[in-house]
Amino acid sequence: MWLFKKAKPPTPPPSPEFHRPWRPLDWNEDKQKLLTAVNNFKPRNPKVDPLRILLHGPQGAGKSSFFNSVYNVLQGRITTRALAHAVEADGSFTLMSKTYKVKKDWPDSNYPFNFTDIAGMHKADGGIQVDDIKKLLNGHINSGYNFNPLKSITEDDPKYNKDPTLKDRIHCLVAVLPANTVSLMDDKKIDENIIRQMRKVREEARDLGIPQVIILTKIDESCQLVKDDLTKVYTSKKIKKKMEECSINLGVPVSCIYPVKNYHEERTTDDTMDILILDALHSIIRFADDNAEDQVDSE
């Protein structure tokens, strides 16, 4: 007597917004692994401590919010270290170059990396001078400098560092872009003038050997699948397309583009949001450390 197995019903086709994940994360375990890795991180060269990370991008992209989100994850609570606008505005809320130390949870102790936040790039003249960002990359501008939209910093400015050392330079450049305005076709795409400015900064960073990362914010506003379930971020065709468009616009590999949801209206921390932020942060500090080590080896 022949026994036949009951045929399995065919697998339903995936949603048009869905595809297999290309950067799988373990949503149940990765938070603690990543948090431990960041907490235990130490630069290989103690002379380059802390590592310096520069955040740049268009106004309203979420640069200050990204720093706050990083701080929230590491502190385990909602914080507001860097002031950020709650609504869209005509100008950037960050008016100066400000470097933030990242405090640990015990007195007089900081993480071995910090973030420098600067004014957002504008569509037209009146924003931050690209030459100023280049000087910042090279370590010539100290924290607290107020950017002049009409004139680049001069050597006689009290905030100008004439003789920067390796520890004064930027070790990783992080472009922050909102996913809901990243498009090659949409009328709401990021202004071409801003893209040109960002390319100039990227080229300078490339010539200096500075690694570059893109943080793609507001992913929940760009894809309903992700808005309903943040764990679907790496199975979303829409988010993958946004990342590919970022790569084309700025020349940064997709592997160095990290989609995140910044903390904005939440009153408590969320594990899924934390994993995406920690995944980006862990890569950023490793890239920065590699850069500092390469610079030491070449000197």
Side-chain angles (χ1 to χ4, degrees):
M1 180 176 180
W2 294 95
L3 295 176
F4 295 94
K5 293 183 179 179
K6 187 176 181 181
K8 293 182 179 180
T11 303
S15 160
E17 294 182 343
F18 179 90
H19 67 97
R20 293 185 181 278
W22 69 94
R23 188 185 283 164
L25 291 170
D26 188 333
W27 304 105
N28 295 319
E29 296 184 9
D30 277 359
K31 179 178 177 178
Q32 194 53 52
K33 289 180 180 178
L34 289 165
L35 194 56
T36 299
V38 172
N39 284 332
N40 294 338
F41 172 77
K42 292 181 180 180
R44 282 170 285 176
N45 188 326
K47 294 181 180 179
V48 191
D49 184 354
L51 296 166
R52 297 191 64 197
I53 300 159
L54 174 62
L55 302 174
H56 84 118
Q59 63 183 43
K63 297 183 300 300
S64 299
S65 294
F66 177 67
F67 170 75
N68 283 334
S69 296
V70 167
Y71 205 72
N72 291 348
V73 177
L74 297 179
Q75 297 296 312
R77 60 183 177 84
I78 302 301
T79 66
T80 55
R81 282 287 307 285
L83 295 179
H85 242 317
V87 295
E88 294 292 332
D90 292 333
S92 174
F93 194 62
T94 304
L95 301 176
M96 66 172 65
S97 167
K98 187 167 184 179
T99 298
Y100 294 94
K101 295 179 180 179
V102 185
K103 298 179 180 179
K104 287 194 171 183
D105 57 359
W106 53 86
D108 302 320
S109 181
N110 299 309
Y111 283 90
F113 52 85
N114 59 33
F115 286 85
T116 297
D117 190 15
I118 59 174
M121 292 176 170
H122 292 235
K123 294 181 180 179
D125 292 338
I128 185 172
Q129 295 272 336
V130 172
D131 284 344
D132 278 341
I133 302 182
K134 292 179 179 179
K135 290 184 174 74
L136 187 54
L137 291 173
N138 281 285
H140 287 296
I141 299 180
N142 293 326
S143 180
Y145 173 68
N146 275 298
F147 292 104
N148 185 339
L150 303 177
K151 182 182 178 183
S152 185
I153 191 172
T154 59
E155 292 188 12
D156 58 355
D157 191 287
K159 291 294 183 181
Y160 188 88
N161 181 358
K162 294 181 181 180
D163 299 303
T165 63
L166 177 56
K167 68 182 297 183
D168 298 318
R169 302 173 199 166
I170 296 300
H171 305 109
C172 187
L173 176 66
V174 177
V176 181
L177 291 171
N180 59 349
T181 59
V182 172
S183 176
L184 298 177
M185 303 295 292
D186 198 325
D187 290 339
K188 296 180 180 179
K189 67 182 180 181
I190 296 175
D191 187 80
E192 282 297 323
N193 187 45
I194 292 176
I195 293 296
R196 281 194 297 271
Q197 294 178 59
M198 295 183 71
R199 282 176 182 159
K200 289 180 181 178
V201 174
R202 179 192 173 278
E203 288 167 1
E204 180 71 12
R206 177 201 62 199
D207 293 343
L208 293 170
I210 299 172
Q212 300 165 55
V213 167
I214 293 178
I215 297 298
L216 195 63
T217 62
K218 303 183 181 181
I219 54 176
D220 56 316
E221 297 178 25
S222 306
C223 176
Q224 187 62 46
L225 180 72
V226 174
K227 185 174 184 179
D228 293 339
D229 184 354
L230 196 57
T231 65
K232 296 293 192 293
V233 59
Y234 284 122
T235 56
S236 164
K237 286 186 176 180
K238 286 185 177 180
I239 298 303
K240 180 69 178 295
K241 183 179 179 182
K242 296 287 186 182
M243 294 170 69
E244 290 170 344
E245 289 173 339
C246 276
S247 179
I248 292 169
N249 277 328
L250 293 175
V252 175
V254 171
S255 60
C256 294
I257 300 174
Y258 296 84
V260 304
K261 181 178 185 298
N262 282 338
Y263 280 97
H264 174 60
E265 59 186 5
E266 294 77 12
R267 295 183 182 274
T268 58
T269 57
D270 175 88
D271 284 349
T272 305
M273 291 172 65
D274 288 355
I275 288 172
L276 291 174
I277 293 164
L278 282 168
D279 183 42
L281 175 63
H282 187 226
S283 294
I284 289 169
I285 59 179
R286 286 189 302 166
F287 292 154
D289 192 42
D290 289 342
N291 171 248
E293 190 70 10
D294 289 343
Q295 295 297 321
V296 169
D297 290 342
S298 65
E299 289 185 349

